[in-house]
Each structure stands twice: as C-alpha cells, then as structure tokens.
Amino acid sequence: MITPTEHDKREWSRFAVAAYATGLNDVGHRFSMASAMVAKEQAVPREWYDALMKDYRDWLVFGFYPHPLV
C-alpha cells in the first residue's frame, strides 16, 4: 500500500485537465476520479498507484502525442 501525497493528487488533477483539453475524456475521467477519491492520508494498492504514476510520468516526458494512452 502507498499513500498518495497532496502533490500527487494535484498533479493527477492537472493531468486530467490536460487530457480533457485534448479530447481524451477516458484518461481525464480516470485521473480526475483518482485525484478526488483518495482521502487525506488514505493508502491505496501499490499496483494502482504505480499504473497511475507510469501514465503521468509518460505524459510529463512525451506529452499525449505520440503516447501509449492514445
């Protein structure tokens, strides 16, 4: 289990906004939900956290195009 930080959740929200802006609504919904549903200091399964962070880091490095999420 991993406890996402407030910074993690803010960045997931920023990612969601960027995804919505490019028409990637499924990605936006996933990250918007993740940023909103994790309560303060709530631990989440490591696999779930790692999957979110992989997509988030890929976006930071490569953007959306070309991107494996598309």
Side-chain angles (χ1 to χ4, degrees):
M1 300 291 277
I2 293 179
T3 303
T5 65
E6 288 301 313
H7 176 76
D8 291 334
K9 294 189 287 183
R10 282 192 305 272
E11 286 298 292
W12 293 345
S13 179
R14 184 170 75 99
F15 182 30
V17 169
Y20 287 132
T22 59
L24 298 172
N25 292 337
D26 290 346
V27 176
H29 293 329
R30 179 174 171 231
F31 278 83
S32 179
M33 178 210 59
S35 68
M37 73 175 269
V38 178
K40 187 173 184 175
E41 302 198 21
Q42 175 187 359
V44 298
R46 182 188 54 82
E47 295 81 7
W48 184 75
Y49 179 87
D50 287 346
L52 287 172
M53 292 306 288
K54 180 197 175 304
D55 290 344
Y56 165 74
R57 289 180 188 119
D58 285 348
W59 169 69
L60 285 178
V61 173
F62 303 111
F64 287 115
Y65 302 102
H67 193 277
L69 293 176
V70 177

